[in-house]
Each structure stands twice: as C-alpha cells, then as structure tokens.
Amino acid sequence: ASVQSTCRDAAGVAGNIFAFGLFLSPTPTFRRIIRNESTEQFSGSPYIYALLNCLITAWYGLPIISDHNLMVTTVNSIGALFQLVYLAIFINYADRSKKLKMLGLVFMVFVLFGIISFGSLSMSDFGVRHLTVGFISCASLISMFASPLFIINLVIRTRSVEFMPFYLSLSTFLMSISFLLYGVFNGDPFVYVPNGIGTILGTIQLLLFAYYRKPSQEDTTRPLII
C-alpha cells in the first residue's frame, strides 16, 4: 500500500509539473492581445470553459468529496488562477459588447460552481456526494478533452500541423498520462477514465504531428548530386 501511495503521489507531482506547460500555452495569444490592445478575432470561450472545469475538478479533489485526491485539487486550483488572469486580460482589452458578454459568462461560471458546491455539501451521505460530484467532474473533463477532436479533424483535412502546436499536444499527453496513472494507483475511475481518453487523444495528436511533418523533410532525403 505504501509503494502504491508513493507511485500515486509521484504521478500526481509529475502531472502538476506537466500541467504548467498546458496552462502557459495561451501566453503568445495574450502577448499579442496586450501588444495590439485588442482581442481581435480571438474567442474568450475556451478560458471560460477551462475555468469552470478547473473549479469543478478542484472541488472534486477535496477530502470532503473524495479520498486521496489532493493533487487533483492543487493542479486545478493553479489552473483556475491562470484562467482568471487570462480572462481579466481578455475582458480588459475586449470591446464593450464582448466585455459585457464575458463578464456575464464569468458570473454564470461562479453561480454554477456555487450551485454544485453548496448542493454537494447539502448531501449528508459521503458516498452519494462523491458519486454526484465525480460524475459532474468526469463529464466536464471528457468534454474538455473532446475539444482536440476539432484540431485532429482540421489536421487530417488540411494535411498540416500548422494549427496544432507541438508543445501543447505534448503537455496534454504528459499531463493526461500522469493523471491516468494517478487515478489507477488511487483506484478512482473519475480520474483515470477522462485522463485515459485524454492520453489516447494526446497520442493521436503526437502521431499526426510525426506523420504530417514528414513531407517538409523530403528535401533533406534527396541526393545532393543527381
């Protein structure tokens, strides 16, 4: 059991480290927004959704909801802070209509999170509380991991990895596999199922990256003297 808990904690620490790559990935977008003092055609929706996902999953990791999942809470708490910073920058530089819409969505995120957290606390049975929040968290994570499907489809259709940043795909894969192992060592399907799906999608992205990058290296395989 002690070896199992050591392996679980090691996987959790690795997942927390790899998550930083994921959380820092929008930095170039926000550098551009600050530089141009405009949100241009960028959408704030991914950050709204990521904030809600981080809040719900951080709540699930707390000891009052589930056992031995504090690493899930730490990584998602940090994630929520990153999303709040990104949203603050986005709202600051957005035009008036977009600004009001984004503020409304942030408010709705906190209202929804409040309903989930207070609702779960009103459940006196730990098992029921664990299952309820677990299913909500799992559904939220799976739908978040489903978003790369659009990118995968785009890469296959355009036969180009231009819109799929390598480090983002790598970070997603490494974080997913870390929390897949964390969930397995903890015997928690609400952690290992969504992260298992994330690992599969991350693997597909990396394979596509390797496959569609080959044509650009064709020049190097040509003989120098014909």
Side-chain angles (χ1 to χ4, degrees):
S2 60
V3 174
Q4 192 178 340
S5 61
T6 304
C7 291
R8 181 195 69 217
D9 292 345
V13 169
N16 273 257
I17 293 165
F18 294 136
F20 268 95
L22 205 58
F23 298 148
L24 288 169
S25 61
T27 310
T29 299
F30 284 91
R31 266 210 210 101
R32 180 170 160 176
I33 288 171
I34 293 165
R35 193 174 64 239
N36 298 342
E37 296 187 3
S38 165
T39 57
E40 299 171 43
Q41 298 303 308
F42 292 116
S43 169
S45 304
Y47 312 104
I48 290 282
Y49 197 79
L51 174 63
L52 179 62
N53 182 67
C54 285
L55 289 171
I56 294 170
T57 315
W59 181 253
Y60 173 73
L62 290 173
I64 50 168
I65 307 293
S66 65
D67 294 319
H68 314 298
N69 270 327
L70 269 177
M71 295 280 187
V72 171
T73 298
T74 55
V75 72
N76 283 285
S77 299
I78 294 163
L81 284 172
F82 269 96
Q83 305 315 317
L84 282 169
V85 169
Y86 292 143
L87 284 164
I89 295 167
F90 193 92
I91 290 164
N92 185 47
Y93 291 107
D95 57 52
R96 187 175 159 76
S97 61
K98 205 187 269 188
K99 201 179 286 238
L100 290 171
K101 182 192 166 192
M102 295 299 291
L103 284 167
L105 286 170
V106 171
F107 178 71
M108 280 171 64
V109 162
F110 282 104
V111 167
L112 187 56
F113 176 63
I115 292 167
I116 292 166
S117 50
F118 286 112
S120 58
L121 286 176
S122 66
M123 297 169 187
S124 52
D125 188 294
F126 178 82
V128 174
R129 194 189 310 150
H130 174 236
L131 284 173
T132 305
V133 181
F135 274 115
I136 295 168
S137 168
C138 192
S140 178
L141 277 168
I142 289 171
S143 56
M144 189 186 77
F145 281 131
S147 60
L149 289 172
F150 300 112
I151 295 290
I152 290 167
N153 180 37
L154 187 69
V155 169
I156 294 167
R157 214 171 61 239
T158 60
R159 303 179 71 81
S160 164
V161 291
E162 186 190 348
F163 299 104
M164 189 174 71
F166 174 72
Y167 290 109
L168 181 59
S169 300
L170 183 64
S171 297
T172 303
F173 171 74
L174 292 172
M175 189 191 78
S176 298
I177 203 164
S178 299
F179 277 104
L180 165 65
L181 293 170
Y182 183 84
V184 167
F185 287 126
N186 205 21
D188 191 334
F190 293 129
V191 176
Y192 67 69
V193 169
N195 284 287
I197 293 166
T199 302
I200 293 164
L201 290 172
T203 305
I204 292 167
Q205 286 182 66
L206 292 174
L207 289 172
L208 284 173
F209 204 91
Y211 183 75
Y212 285 115
R213 271 194 59 160
K214 279 177 188 170
S216 65
Q217 289 163 357
E218 268 176 10
D219 296 337
T220 59
T221 60
R222 288 180 187 157
L224 291 171
I225 302 166
I226 297 170

